[in-house]
Amino acid sequence: MRRGTPPPPPEQAAAFGRPAEVEGSFSSADRPVARPRPPLAPPPEAVLRAFAPRDGEAGLGLPPGGRPAPRRTSGGPFWKRDAATDPWRDPLAPSGLGRPAEYVEEAEEQTGPVVVDRKGRRRLRLADVSVPVAALAVLSLLFVAALGGTLSWYLGRTADQEPLLTPGTQLSAVSPGITRQPGSVADIAEQVTPAVVSIEVRVGESGATGSGVVVDADNGYVVTNNHVVSGADGVEGAEIRAVFSDGSGSPAQIVGRDPASDIAVIKVDKPGLVAAALAEGGDVVVGDPVVAIGSPLGLAGTVTSGIVSALDRPVRLSGEGSDTNAVISAIQTDAPINPGNSGGALVDVTGAVIGINTAIASLGGNGTTGGSIGLGFAIPVDKVRTIAEQLISTGTAVHASLGVQARSVTDGTRDGALVVNVEPGSPAEAAGIEEQDVIIAVDGEPVGSSEELQVAVDSKSPGDTVTVELVRGGGSSQEVQATLTQA
């Protein structure tokens, strides 16, 4: 207990005080006794012979043939001076405590912008850079930038500039030019375009455009569609005008028109016309390349190309403002056809006309309006030739008639044309055809719709006798003979 320290309270002395019979800090009676250190076994004889110290030396001796280490003292071991007290080097060395731990004092805080880190590297500490020095560095950079900009501007002003214009310049040209093989689209267009005309129809304040094909150059006959010119027929003040490929024009008159086939013929008075060659329709096959020439959207002399994508396609025609009501067995093509192409030419690779463009399939139109979606239809040239010859000869065309009205039906396995009305005194009534009969074939050719029935009958002439196959009351099919009359 320190001198001057007040005695502890009785409670603390009773709990932590030394018993009266105990002397000293701890009792020696029950103090644990350290276990005696076992004697070390003597080293083997070979180790003693090899490493025993020499006479008068302490610690381990030199190995046989060994040399003293540099700066060795006369009485020390051969590797370090503290080897005599290192038990790891000399097992017989006494144990001892080394120096107490040393704590490296933190280096005093360095001043100035340049400091030395713990690895001895010199670094710039921006926080200690003075304001004048920083301002001087910024001004130096601004001066260098201003000097560089001034020099660039001056050199740009004084350097010679390339002239904007070079008189007498001549650009290179490819020689020889593009060659056009016979049968190319360009060759076909060059042959046929002079025979295709634009037709302008004006009735009062309204007007329409279409196309036509010259079929008789000597007499000035031009074939077109009925729906192109029908609005001007018999209307006082109506005007029809044909515009040719050379830009000249001529008034035109209607020779005849046929709403049942959508064919019409007009006549123009112009010398030096070029007539188109009409092909044999039976030579056309699916996949043949074709070229369409006309005035779509009023753009005269437009040429588009494609292929024949289908044949004998039944298409019903009916144009707004026209009395056209026809079903044709059309040539289908993917050559782009648009409003204004009607009445124009569809030609093959020889330049011969294989059809008269008449309708398009459109998502927003009725076959005469809207835009092309790659499905156009043309009246086959054989039909055009037959109707045009009749119109030029008599002004009217003749069609065969069976005398029925029908609509398309199917039972899921077979299609046909359901008879909904039989005209009194017609060939159908004479043949015994009744209402609700389903016609499935004409002269052995299948009939799958009312349009196909009309096409099959229209392909015949008045007075022809045809075999009609029909189904009555869901029973088996039967055949009847009917002699067609004039429609």
Side-chain angles (χ1 to χ4, degrees), residues 107-118 120-123 125 128:
E108 296 182 359
E109 184 178 358
Q110 303 182 36
T111 60
V114 180
V115 297
V116 180
D117 59 11
R118 293 182 178 180
R121 295 174 295 188
R122 301 170 69 85
R123 296 183 179 276
R125 188 163 56 186
D128 293 338

Side-chain angles (χ1 to χ4, degrees), residues 109-465:
E109 184 178 358
Q110 303 182 36
T111 60
V114 180
V115 297
V116 180
D117 59 11
R118 293 182 178 180
K119 295 185 179 180
R121 295 174 295 188
R122 301 170 69 85
R123 296 183 179 276
L124 177 64
R125 188 163 56 186
L126 297 178
D128 293 338
V129 177
S130 63
V131 174
V133 175
L136 180 61
V138 172
L139 292 176
S140 300
L141 292 176
L142 293 176
F143 174 75
V144 172
L147 180 61
T150 303
L151 290 176
S152 299
W153 174 83
Y154 177 75
L155 293 177
R157 294 276 293 181
T158 57
D160 294 335
Q161 296 182 359
E162 292 293 331
L164 183 62
L165 304 177
T166 305
T169 299
Q170 293 183 348
L171 302 180
S172 61
V174 177
S175 180
I178 300 174
T179 58
R180 297 175 179 86
Q181 300 295 332
S184 64
V185 175
D187 180 62
I188 296 170
E190 184 178 3
Q191 296 179 46
V192 182
T193 299
V196 179
V197 303
S198 297
I199 299 177
E200 299 175 354
V201 179
R202 181 168 297 278
V203 180
E205 297 298 327
S206 62
T209 61
S211 304
V213 179
V214 178
V215 293
D216 187 338
D218 295 334
N219 299 299
Y221 290 120
V222 177
V223 170
T224 185
N225 283 138
N226 176 72
H227 71 262
V228 172
V229 298
S230 62
D233 189 15
V235 178
E236 185 178 356
E239 180 183 356
I240 302 175
R241 182 177 178 83
V243 180
F244 306 96
S245 60
D246 59 1
S248 62
S250 171
Q253 295 179 333
I254 298 176
V255 176
R257 58 188 188 86
D258 180 30
S261 64
D262 199 24
I263 296 293
V265 176
I266 62 176
K267 183 178 176 62
V268 298
D269 185 13
K270 177 179 173 58
L273 290 176
V274 177
L278 304 184
E280 294 289 340
D283 297 335
V284 180
V285 297
V286 174
D288 281 348
V290 291
V291 175
I293 304 176
S295 302
L297 308 177
L299 304 174
T302 297
V303 178
T304 57
S305 64
I307 63 169
V308 174
S309 53
L311 294 173
D312 302 323
R313 181 76 72 191
V315 177
R316 184 174 294 278
L317 305 178
S318 58
E320 286 187 37
S322 171
D323 58 356
T324 297
N325 184 17
V327 176
I328 62 172
S329 179
I331 299 173
Q332 179 179 314
T333 178
D334 67 348
I337 295 175
N338 289 279
N341 270 118
S342 296
L346 185 69
V347 301
D348 60 15
V349 293
T350 67
V353 177
I354 63 172
I356 295 297
N357 300 319
T358 186
I360 60 176
S362 176
L363 297 178
N366 57 10
T368 59
T369 61
S372 172
I373 57 174
L375 294 175
F377 304 99
I379 303 172
V381 67
D382 289 343
K383 188 68 173 179
V384 173
R385 181 186 290 107
T386 300
I387 300 299
E389 289 175 351
Q390 295 180 25
L391 293 177
I392 293 173
S393 299
T394 65
T396 58
V398 176
H399 297 274
S401 172
L402 181 61
V404 298
Q405 294 179 356
R407 62 181 178 86
S408 303
V409 293
T410 180
D411 60 1
T413 59
R414 186 166 54 181
D415 302 331
L418 175 67
V419 177
V420 295
N421 182 45
V422 177
E423 297 178 6
S426 65
E429 184 182 49
I433 298 176
E434 301 176 358
E435 294 181 2
Q436 302 304 311
D437 287 347
V438 178
I439 299 175
I440 59 175
V442 174
D443 279 348
E445 294 296 328
V447 171
S449 64
S450 61
E451 289 81 10
E452 291 185 8
L453 174 61
Q454 188 168 344
V455 167
V457 173
D458 195 55
S459 65
K460 308 298 182 179
S461 300
D464 291 346
T465 300

